[in-house]
Amino acid sequence: MEIRERFAGLFFIIPFAVSLLLHTLTDIDFFFFLSLVLAFVVIFFHHQLYLLFFNDSNSTSALYAGNAALEEDYDPIGQDGKYWNPRKLKLSQVFDLYPNKRSARPEQGSCGFVFTYNKLLSVVEKVEFYDYRHRKGSFTLYKFYFSHLQPDAFPFERDSIVKTEIPLERISKKMIFVPLNRYSREYVFGGKF
């Protein structure tokens, strides 16, 4: 089950509401102070809680990154030689499929995956596709955006991939680049079975 960050807050509000209800029913001050602490944690650490509990199971970004790689004729095959299904893997498992050639900067002339890795929490936040073939001082990042709106309410607001030029000096310390190999068209379309 994929849970988006906006809706994950509901899971963190439940302990707060229970604690506040217990205070109302029992009039014990401990539950009131507990609800204040829980409210503080939910408000200020919402993103970190989402990353710890829900983000790893949400591999939608891997699906979009893999599709972007295929559209650019790059093979998203794991470095162990096996194809993977993003609907069956967690983001950390996708990250583990690419243990070699990881770097803090993209290799000139390469395309591949860029993983955003949170070292403090030891979690992969997302995976995106990058293209560093055309410009020397910047690379193209295929950024995936979630739509939090109901699809029937605003049909023009959907999940989408937006190509963004990122200068090399603006590379985040969280980014880990892994180049991919191009498809061998002879193997894919040449009739080798």
Side-chain angles (χ1 to χ4, degrees), residues 12 14-17 19 33-43 49:
F12 305 127
I14 292 172
F16 162 74
S19 178
F33 291 114
L34 179 63
S35 64
L36 288 177
V37 169
L38 290 172
F40 175 81
V41 168
V42 168
I43 291 168
L49 289 170

Side-chain angles (χ1 to χ4, degrees), residues 170-188:
R170 286 194 35 226
I171 292 176
S172 168
K173 291 183 180 182
K174 291 182 172 184
M175 290 180 164
I176 299 174
F177 294 85
V178 179
L180 296 175
N181 296 323
R182 287 189 70 83
Y183 264 124
S184 170
R185 293 219 175 257
E186 176 183 309
Y187 179 77
V188 175

Side-chain angles (χ1 to χ4, degrees), residues 98-157:
Y98 302 94
N100 303 322
K101 297 184 180 180
R102 293 180 182 173
S103 64
R105 295 177 70 81
E107 203 177 284
Q108 177 66 43
S110 70
C111 287
F113 292 141
V114 57
F115 293 90
T116 303
Y117 186 77
N118 188 318
K119 291 179 185 175
L120 179 66
L121 300 175
S122 297
V123 295
V124 178
E125 293 182 17
K126 61 186 169 185
V127 58
E128 296 168 315
F129 183 75
Y130 77 90
D131 184 346
Y132 189 39
R133 295 176 292 177
H134 306 293
R135 293 183 174 82
K136 204 167 192 169
S138 65
F139 64 96
T140 304
L141 185 64
Y142 292 61
K143 294 180 72 90
F144 173 64
Y145 290 98
F146 282 121
S147 168
H148 296 297
L149 303 173
Q150 296 295 332
D152 53 337
F154 297 98
F156 54 91
E157 294 280 345

Side-chain angles (χ1 to χ4, degrees), residues 4-69:
R4 295 189 179 184
E5 186 170 356
R6 185 174 196 169
F7 302 113
L10 297 174
F11 290 94
F12 305 127
I13 291 174
I14 292 172
F16 162 74
V18 169
S19 178
L20 200 57
L21 180 65
L22 286 173
H23 168 68
T24 305
L25 295 174
T26 63
D27 204 27
I28 298 175
D29 290 337
F30 169 76
F31 291 118
F32 176 72
F33 291 114
L34 179 63
S35 64
L36 288 177
V37 169
L38 290 172
F40 175 81
V41 168
V42 168
I43 291 168
F44 292 104
F45 298 103
H46 174 74
H47 181 67
Q48 289 80 1
L49 289 170
Y50 172 76
L51 290 176
L52 280 174
F53 294 107
F54 297 110
N55 188 64
D56 195 33
S57 63
N58 187 352
S59 60
T60 306
S61 66
L63 174 67
Y64 277 79
N67 285 340

